[in-house]
Amino acid sequence: MAPSDDNQRIYEDTGVIDIYRTIAPPQQAERNMFEPLSDELRTGRLLDIGIGAGRTTAYLAPKVGHYVGVDYSHGLVRAAAQLYPDSDIRWCDARDMSQFEDASFDFVNFSFNGLDSLDHDGRRQVLAEVHRVLRPGGHWMFSSHNRDYVRRGMLPWQGRFKPGRVMLRKSAEALRHHRNWRHLRKEQVETPEYALVNDEAHHYSLLHYYISPTVQVAQLEAAGFTDVRVYDQWGTETAEPSPASIWMYYDSRRA
Ligand SMILES: C[S@@+](CC[C@H](N)C(=O)[O-])C[C@H]1O[C@@H](n2cnc3c(N)ncnc32)[C@H](O)[C@@H]1O
């Protein structure tokens, strides 16, 4: 089974679904990207991909003219539909969005590094599909793990760490789930363009795609997106490498 199929299986796990049911507020970078677009959003059509149990549905559905939320986990789609019965929530794998017409959205969003669950081929399929369903000039927003992150792929006791309660808690958690990381660390991949990294998410049970912002910008441009803006984990727009930021946010437009 390919690592990205294993990732998909994790999002059907009832324990993982329960975590996403506890709805968290919008992230600061999301506010910084979406708030200046309030006027355009009010009449716009938004496709929200990888909604989990609907964290971004709560934030974005009331802001837009037309909202569709999708996820490829059947369990999470059920959870989101229960929590937001008035929203249009559907099952869809972003690698094949043939249920949506060409140029049928003004905004496409894929929040909280959901795109990183996919391998390189899957990511390229999603970029092509997003490009197809967006109208020219439409916004494509997402976040993605940062390959420049200084602690990328390290266990809590590796590298330079801050001793203290957090470090002890994280180390205990890593030891409790050592079978997961022992197994997945063998599957990690490093290429000139990206890395597939086993990190602490969901008890070290996932391989995530990590990419440097400069490479991500080039990847977006090659896929037909332009005007790329990059934000760090705290929502500050930046053109510099950000080694403290575990993930980065991207806002781009379909050329
Ligand atoms: C880290 S979770 C974030 C969930 C939600 N956006 C949030 O912020 O709470 C990533 C989500 O992306 C979904 N996902 C990953 N790959 C997907 C794909 N190819 N198509 C649709 N959903 C996908 C997962 O099922 C999961 O719900």
Side-chain angles (χ1 to χ4, degrees):
M1 194 184 265
S4 53
D5 296 332
D6 285 337
N7 286 350
Q8 183 168 6
R9 198 173 37 80
I10 295 297
Y11 285 114
E12 296 289 359
D13 180 274
T14 49
V16 170
I17 292 170
D18 281 345
I19 291 169
Y20 288 105
R21 259 190 237 277
T22 315
I23 293 303
Q27 298 159 355
Q28 188 57 50
E30 290 170 340
R31 289 186 191 280
N32 292 1
M33 288 195 300
F34 282 107
E35 297 303 329
L37 299 171
S38 293
D39 286 346
E40 280 182 64
L41 285 163
R42 204 164 295 129
T43 53
R45 299 157 298 171
L46 172 91
L47 174 63
D48 199 5
I49 305 174
I51 56 170
R55 182 184 68 83
T56 48
T57 309
Y59 174 52
L60 293 170
K63 283 186 179 309
V64 298
H66 179 72
Y67 177 90
V68 182
V70 301
D71 203 284
Y72 75 169
S73 155
H74 295 277
L76 281 165
V77 167
R78 271 194 300 276
Q82 260 168 16
L83 285 164
Y84 302 99
D86 297 334
S87 288
D88 182 349
I89 289 169
R90 313 177 187 183
W91 185 91
C92 174
D93 184 331
R95 290 169 286 192
D96 173 7
M97 300 201 282
S98 43
Q99 61 180 287
F100 302 115
E101 305 215 336
D102 295 1
S104 51
F105 290 98
D106 305 295
F107 297 87
V108 177
N109 181 47
F110 201 157
S111 64
F112 212 174
N113 316 317
L115 180 61
D116 296 341
S117 315
L118 300 170
D119 58 19
H120 189 61
D121 285 348
R123 190 179 191 93
R124 284 163 47 136
Q125 286 165 358
V126 173
L127 291 181
E129 279 292 78
V130 171
H131 188 270
R132 183 184 66 74
V133 302
L134 260 182
R135 66 151 168 87
H139 284 262
W140 162 222
M141 288 124 139
F142 63 98
S143 63
S144 182
H145 286 92
N146 178 15
R147 197 178 188 182
D148 303 332
Y149 177 50
V150 69
R151 292 195 53 78
R152 171 171 69 90
M154 285 184 192
L155 291 165
W157 53 85
Q158 294 176 328
R160 289 180 62 188
F161 55 83
K162 262 198 223 142
R165 234 182 295 167
V166 174
M167 190 268 173
L168 283 176
R169 181 176 54 71
K170 285 183 179 252
S171 298
E173 146 101 4
L175 290 171
R176 228 181 0 261
H177 300 287
H178 68 99
R179 265 208 204 94
N180 288 349
W181 56 259
R182 280 224 181 114
H183 165 64
L184 278 177
R185 267 155 207 251
K186 293 193 290 251
E187 311 277 329
Q188 295 186 121
V189 171
E190 293 282 341
T191 78
E193 189 169 353
Y194 65 90
L196 296 184
V197 179
N198 172 236
D199 57 29
E200 66 184 15
H202 300 312
H203 308 316
Y204 295 87
S205 61
L206 297 166
L207 273 183
H208 276 139
Y209 191 103
Y210 279 62
I211 185 166
S212 298
T214 45
V215 183
Q216 181 60 80
V217 171
Q219 191 183 77
L220 283 167
E221 287 171 352
F225 299 93
T226 184
D227 298 336
V228 186
R229 301 175 74 166
V230 185
Y231 300 79
D232 67 17
Q233 198 183 335
W234 301 275
T236 305
E237 191 171 351
T238 179
E240 302 297 318
S242 303
S245 188
I246 184 168
W247 55 74
M248 308 296 286
Y249 294 76
Y250 299 89
D251 176 9
S252 60
R253 299 182 83 124
R254 189 197 147 168

